[in-house]
Amino acid sequence: MATQSGHQENLGHVVFITAAAAIGGFLFGYDSAVINGAVVGIQKYFHVGPVEIGIVVAIALLGSAIGAWIAGRLADWWGRTRTMQVAAILFSASSIGQMLPFALWDLAFWRVLAGIAIGMASVLGPTYIAEVSPPAYRGRLGSFQQLAIVLGIAVSQLVNYVFARLAGGDVNNPLWGLQAWQWMLGACVVPALLYLLFASTIPESPRYLIAAGRIRQARTVLAEVEGAEVDLDARVAEIRQVLKSEQRPTIRELRGPAFGLLPIVWIGIALSVFQQFVGINVIFYYSSVLWQSVGITQANSLLISFSSSVINIIGTFIAISLVDKIGRKPLLLIGSAGMAISLGTAAWAFSYARGLSLPAPQGPIALVAANVFVLFFALSWGVVVWVLLGEMFPNRIRAAALGVAASAQWIANWAITVTFPALSKWNLPLTYAMYSFFAVLSFLFVTKFVRETKGRRLEEMG
């Protein structure tokens, strides 16, 4: 009975520290999606056109690619928690900067800085959570990152709606000395400071501590996260054996025979690219514009954006409950099939658009199909890709390989974000048909190349 109680207490502690680390994911989601409500306000405030606005929106994603690229190296130099603290400071500073810009280029600079912080959080969360989680719970705990992201997205939509309502329905109206869109962007400083607080209190990763020669601290953390009954000598020896005689991971160590990289790195890159090429972030960056383009009012489009965020959260909870039961690969295949069908249905429905309206029943069908797509993405690719990226790579290259894969994800995200306005104006149904085609390709890719990692220790990977 005492052992069971101790086990539950131990698991509760692990849940707490992984949830604290996942606050970075919340900031990732909030800062990524909050721009959706502020775009019109920025455009009117600075009197600029769609090209300039497109650059300001997308430039944060390039910053994210930089942040993801450097985060692995910094995490191996400074430690996981110290690097989280740096990301939290960048989140805080960029939130204030975006709130108080004096020119468009100034706003763009702060968005790049925010993007770097987002990119760092996209790497640090999965790496840290995978390294402190017991194998039996690693999938569910790894899912905290994606749960935090979708909560961040939902809260950003809710915050945007609240500030717009407080300002009388117009984001350019004055509110407490500023315009409403400025408060939307500045509100991120609150969770950023919480992230800094928690990153300063959670323990360092035991694998980093052993790599740094801090064995006593590593033993303490291993006892905290895996339980006092674990053979600490054996666990330390196992991790040391894996890390023995290995240098800190560099991009050079990722080189291999498959077009210059190791095959496992290419699999990580492909998972990241497919996650974005199905067009999920079109829903979260452009949903209000999308629904207005087929005749839905601005107010209703904001409510639809929020409802899609809620469906995203529901799907994420489904994934958390299933990822350690049925495994990573089956969930990906289920998601790919569901996304391909729902995106294809949306493409068919949008083909009936006439000017700024969708006739019945195609209008409701398009709305349902878009939300079914969000649900299937959330219960599969949204969660499982982050879980896999945190655990699929061999120990010696994990941080560097995750950085490369996450950078690829941000570049793919940028490509979709930049091209959607032009593609949708040219041919919206064909654009959605293209996303459906990528969902089909993702199914074939997972079938052939992705290996199951459920229940395996990180030291067994590779």
Side-chain angles (χ1 to χ4, degrees):
M1 195 73 176
T3 302
Q4 184 178 359
S5 174
H7 176 73
Q8 290 174 344
E9 182 180 337
N10 167 66
L11 181 58
H13 180 65
V14 175
V15 168
F16 170 77
I17 64 175
T18 52
I23 295 175
F26 180 92
L27 289 163
F28 167 173
Y30 187 100
D31 233 351
S32 298
V34 71
I35 195 70
N36 190 23
V39 166
V40 173
I42 294 167
Q43 194 165 2
K44 290 181 179 177
Y45 185 81
F46 290 109
H47 307 291
V48 293
V51 173
E52 294 93 334
I53 281 296
I55 292 171
V56 169
V57 171
I59 201 167
L61 301 173
L62 296 181
S64 297
I66 295 169
W69 186 270
I70 65 173
R73 180 76 62 86
L74 294 178
D76 287 321
W77 279 346
W78 296 341
R80 286 28 170 172
T81 55
R82 177 87 46 95
T83 312
M84 286 182 199
Q85 293 167 24
V86 172
I89 291 168
L90 290 178
F91 272 122
S92 302
S94 62
S95 298
I96 300 299
Q98 289 182 86
M99 186 183 186
L100 304 169
F102 55 82
L104 193 66
W105 68 263
D106 177 53
L107 176 61
F109 168 77
W110 292 113
R111 284 192 54 72
V112 170
L113 204 63
I116 291 172
I118 292 169
M120 291 174 68
S122 75
V123 171
L124 294 169
T127 299
Y128 179 85
I129 292 170
E131 291 183 349
V132 299
S133 301
Y137 301 102
R138 196 174 58 237
R140 274 167 283 181
L141 294 172
S143 303
F144 279 19
Q145 172 81 356
Q146 181 63 19
L147 176 60
I149 292 170
V150 299
L151 285 171
I153 292 170
V155 169
S156 74
Q157 305 304 308
L158 193 57
V159 168
N160 285 350
Y161 179 72
V162 168
F163 279 128
R165 287 296 299 271
L166 288 172
D170 188 332
V171 298
N172 289 104
N173 283 346
L175 183 67
W176 307 317
L178 300 173
Q179 293 190 359
W181 66 266
Q182 293 175 273
W183 288 108
M184 292 177 183
L185 298 178
C188 187
V189 73
V190 176
L193 292 175
L194 280 176
Y195 186 38
L196 179 60
L197 174 65
F198 281 112
S200 304
T201 58
I202 58 177
E204 184 53 84
S205 157
R207 287 169 180 80
Y208 168 76
L209 292 171
I210 290 172
R214 292 153 62 181
I215 307 301
R216 183 180 298 176
Q217 288 174 264
R219 289 171 63 90
T220 301
V221 177
L222 282 169
E224 286 180 23
V225 300
E226 296 194 12
E229 68 276 6
V230 170
D231 186 338
L232 294 177
D233 291 333
R235 288 294 289 126
V236 169
E238 181 182 18
I239 296 170
R240 289 183 82 170
Q241 183 62 35
V242 172
L243 297 172
K244 190 177 180 182
S245 303
E246 290 174 352
Q247 299 174 343
R248 298 183 188 279
T250 63
I251 301 305
R252 186 177 303 164
E253 292 180 61
L254 305 184
R255 290 178 183 170
F259 299 100
L261 291 173
L262 294 170
I264 191 68
V265 179
W266 278 117
I267 291 171
I269 290 171
L271 285 170
S272 289
V273 170
F274 276 125
Q275 190 199 49
Q276 296 302 317
F277 273 20
V278 295
I280 186 63
N281 280 314
V282 165
I283 299 292
F284 297 114
Y285 296 161
Y286 294 111
S287 57
S288 60
V289 176
L290 172 66
W291 296 118
Q292 287 175 63
S293 73
V294 291
I296 293 173
T297 66
Q298 184 177 12
N300 286 339
S301 71
L302 284 172
L303 289 176
I304 291 171
S305 296
F306 179 66
S307 68
S308 296
S309 299
V310 172
I311 290 168
N312 201 14
I313 294 170
I314 293 168
T316 301
F317 275 114
I318 295 172
I320 290 172
S321 70
L322 295 178
V323 68
D324 281 324
K325 291 179 182 176
I326 70 172
R328 285 63 159 153
K329 188 169 182 174
L331 269 184
L332 288 179
L333 293 173
I334 291 166
S336 293
M339 290 190 300
I341 294 168
S342 55
L343 285 167
T345 303
W348 169 81
F350 284 134
S351 70
Y352 285 83
R354 297 292 177 265
L356 289 178
S357 67
L358 260 181
Q362 283 78 17
I365 288 173
L367 182 57
V368 170
N371 281 326
V372 169
F373 161 59
V374 170
L375 179 65
F376 272 101
F377 177 87
L379 64 81
S380 60
W381 284 76
V383 166
V384 177
V385 168
W386 289 112
V387 172
L388 279 173
L389 291 181
E391 66 186 12
M392 66 186 283
F393 302 114
N395 255 19
R396 66 184 179 83
I397 65 166
R398 180 172 298 114
L402 209 163
V404 169
S407 294
Q409 188 172 126
W410 287 113
I411 292 169
N413 189 346
W414 174 81
I416 292 296
T417 303
V418 165
T419 57
F420 177 75
L423 287 173
S424 62
K425 188 175 182 180
W426 167 64
N427 194 319
L428 184 61
L430 200 57
T431 302
Y432 269 80
M434 179 184 70
Y435 299 152
S436 180
F437 174 69
F438 280 120
V440 172
L441 286 183
S442 73
F443 184 95
L444 300 175
F445 174 81
V446 171
T447 301
K448 185 170 178 61
F449 294 109
V450 174
R451 292 172 57 195
E452 185 57 70
T453 57
K454 182 181 75 168
R456 297 170 62 196
R457 283 184 171 175
L458 295 183
E459 287 69 35
E460 298 173 32
M461 303 299 176

